[in-house]
Amino acid sequence: MAPSYLLLLSAYLSALLASGSSPQIAFVGRAATASRRLPPLHSGVPADVGAVGGPVLRPPSSAECTSFDTACVAHPVVLPPAVGSTDLWQMYYYGNPGCWANGTKGFLPTGYVGLAESTDGVNWERVAGSEEGGSVLAPTGQEDDWDGLQLGVGDVVRVGENELHMYYFGGSFEPLSFGGPMPPAQGLRMRIGKARSTDKGRSWERMGQVLDYDPVEGLFASWPRIVVPQKGTSEPWRMSYHAFNGTRWAAFGAVSLDKGETWSREGGIALGPGGPDSWDGSGVGTRAIARAADGGLVMVYEAVEGGGGPFAGRHRLGLARWDESEEAWRKDTTISSVPGGPILDGGVKPMDLWTSYVIGTPFLVPMENGSMRLYFCSKRDNDMSMSIGLVESTSGDLGPTAWKSISPNEF
């Protein structure tokens, strides 16, 4: 789940219980329940208050070309230039101005999809799209549409030289009941769809829904990531997504035998919670998948600690690896004896101080020189808007000590 998703959803549900009505809450911050702080990952030194560093993309100022993302930016999907091309780096992300379609107040950082471009993957400039507020993909605003109320980018895949396919998730106006005294909420019934662009991401044509939610898995299907097999192999395309069933967050999988045209579920949890009191005991949400230098698939996943229920725990990033023989994801135990890690914790070195409040929505970019970049979203406290940051491992290793924070004023 997006990092602010759980915090905001928790506060939203608390407000529903307190009021007995159906308020719409925009960017209210962390739930009242205090989370347990685990011991630091390695050195135990908090990020230096005076350290140079900061986000690579923040909500825009009034002088910039977009207005759909003035409240927050999150969930970066980064495409480096194709090998041998002179194209720019591209970052797709979602955000909103404090409301969703038709002025409906939102309680998640989703809403609209935007585009920024860069010559180096660090210094970014927004590209104004033709949709609402300068976005490149917007909810339809139609109450009968599955993506009518809010949406967000999940992944973007190059298809040939001149076409991009975006896998995105959308939320409808359908009221979703949690049972008990809580009134229904809109925007949580999410499904996965696809759109295409032939103008370098400036405009997108919807191609329809590709995966509906499954009540066996949870209340929605969301935040898809696509794994395209290496050239020359007969492997299927794979999709990783996640769901929430009211008590836990978990990642699931689907496969496509026709290069993304149709998808079928693999069945069962692909990556789920650790022990009840573990650092990922409440479950697994957003994920980043990439090929490491050795060719193996790795996953950096956002998890929520256990012990306080699915909404109260702290968010950290962990590591899993793809087991080719079993065709399954396994939490890493080579870096530490604790399955999955964690490998990064907000506000703890190498993360900058501005990441202290929450960290999530990871995206991995393997570099040609063997290094690995990790984009994420975070914020320092409740007074800061969600922003996008970057760390890099020059060695390509994924352990806690391998990463270095990168910001525009340092690069």
Side-chain angles (χ1 to χ4, degrees):
M1 200 57 78
S4 58
Y5 194 117
L6 302 186
L7 302 179
L8 297 171
L9 181 56
S10 177
Y12 175 74
L13 297 180
S14 298
L16 289 178
L17 283 171
S19 67
S21 62
S22 184
Q24 299 290 343
I25 300 174
F27 308 102
V28 293
R30 189 198 307 233
T33 305
S35 65
R36 295 180 299 108
R37 180 83 184 218
L38 293 182
L41 296 181
H42 41 95
S43 67
V45 179
D48 184 3
V49 174
V52 175
V56 297
L57 192 73
R58 308 169 185 260
S61 67
S62 58
E64 295 186 71
C65 62
T66 61
S67 60
F68 76 91
D69 52 352
T70 52
C72 69
V73 295
H75 203 262
V77 174
V78 179
L79 299 185
V83 176
S85 80
T86 58
D87 291 343
L88 297 173
W89 288 67
Q90 288 194 319
M91 179 193 291
Y92 298 88
Y93 63 96
Y94 58 63
N96 68 50
C99 62
W100 290 337
N102 305 343
T104 304
K105 287 290 184 180
F107 55 93
L108 311 177
T110 56
Y112 303 80
V113 176
L115 171 63
E117 292 185 328
S118 171
T119 59
D120 55 20
V122 179
N123 297 274
W124 296 90
E125 291 187 7
R126 286 172 166 81
V127 175
S130 59
E131 299 288 334
E132 185 176 351
S135 63
V136 297
L137 188 66
T140 67
Q142 301 299 310
E143 295 200 1
D144 293 333
D145 288 348
W146 67 273
D147 57 353
L149 181 56
Q150 58 95 0
L151 52 77
V153 60
D155 212 343
V156 178
V157 177
R158 288 191 175 99
V159 181
E161 292 185 5
N162 301 309
E163 189 167 333
L164 298 171
H165 285 187
M166 179 191 295
Y167 289 81
Y168 71 99
F169 58 95
S172 70
F173 285 87
E174 175 189 354
L176 186 59
S177 175
F178 288 87
M182 293 185 235
Q186 294 179 318
L188 286 177
R189 183 70 85 197
M190 291 178 280
R191 301 165 171 91
I192 296 170
K194 185 166 67 171
R196 66 182 164 205
S197 173
T198 56
D199 60 0
K200 297 184 177 181
R202 269 62 177 169
S203 62
W204 293 85
E205 174 191 359
R206 282 171 163 85
M207 302 174 70
Q209 186 184 136
V210 299
L211 197 72
D212 202 350
Y213 81 98
D214 183 344
V216 173
E217 296 173 349
L219 303 172
F220 49 75
S222 61
W223 280 267
R225 296 295 202 195
I226 307 301
V227 180
V228 177
Q230 293 177 303
K231 290 183 179 180
T233 69
S234 59
E235 294 293 313
W237 286 34
R238 296 186 182 275
M239 177 192 295
S240 175
Y241 62 96
H242 75 264
F244 175 63
N245 69 354
T247 61
R248 61 92 184 103
W249 318 95
F252 297 85
V255 295
S256 174
L257 302 178
D258 50 15
K259 298 182 178 180
E261 292 299 317
T262 59
W263 294 87
S264 58
R265 282 178 162 86
E266 293 184 288
I269 293 176
L271 198 71
D277 294 320
S278 65
W279 76 273
D280 58 357
S282 291
V284 173
T286 61
R287 295 131 282 104
I289 300 173
R291 292 197 181 275
D294 62 3
L297 287 173
V298 295
M299 174 194 290
V300 172
Y301 65 93
E302 178 186 356
V304 185
E305 71 177 333
F311 302 116
R314 185 169 178 80
H315 295 236
R316 297 175 177 86
L317 301 184
L319 178 66
R321 299 180 188 273
W322 179 253
D323 187 320
E324 290 283 357
S325 62
E326 298 186 14
E327 294 191 339
W329 289 103
R330 302 295 182 216
K331 293 178 182 179
D332 181 80
T333 55
T334 64
I335 294 175
S336 75
S337 60
V338 179
I343 61 169
L344 289 171
D345 188 357
V348 178
K349 282 190 173 182
M351 306 304 295
D352 288 325
L353 182 66
W354 74 269
T355 68
S356 298
Y357 190 69
V358 67
I359 180 175
T361 67
F363 192 88
L364 290 168
V365 178
M367 304 291 284
E368 290 184 38
N369 63 4
S371 63
M372 183 76 78
R373 286 184 175 181
L374 172 58
Y375 296 82
F376 60 91
C377 72
S378 189
K379 63 179 183 176
R380 176 172 177 164
D381 51 37
N382 222 8
D383 294 327
M384 179 180 176
S385 297
M386 196 68 71
S387 300
I388 292 171
L390 169 63
V391 292
E392 183 175 44
S393 167
T394 56
S395 66
D397 293 336
L398 303 175
T401 60
W403 301 98
K404 177 185 177 183
S405 178
I406 302 293
S407 63
N409 55 0
E410 296 175 293
F411 192 76

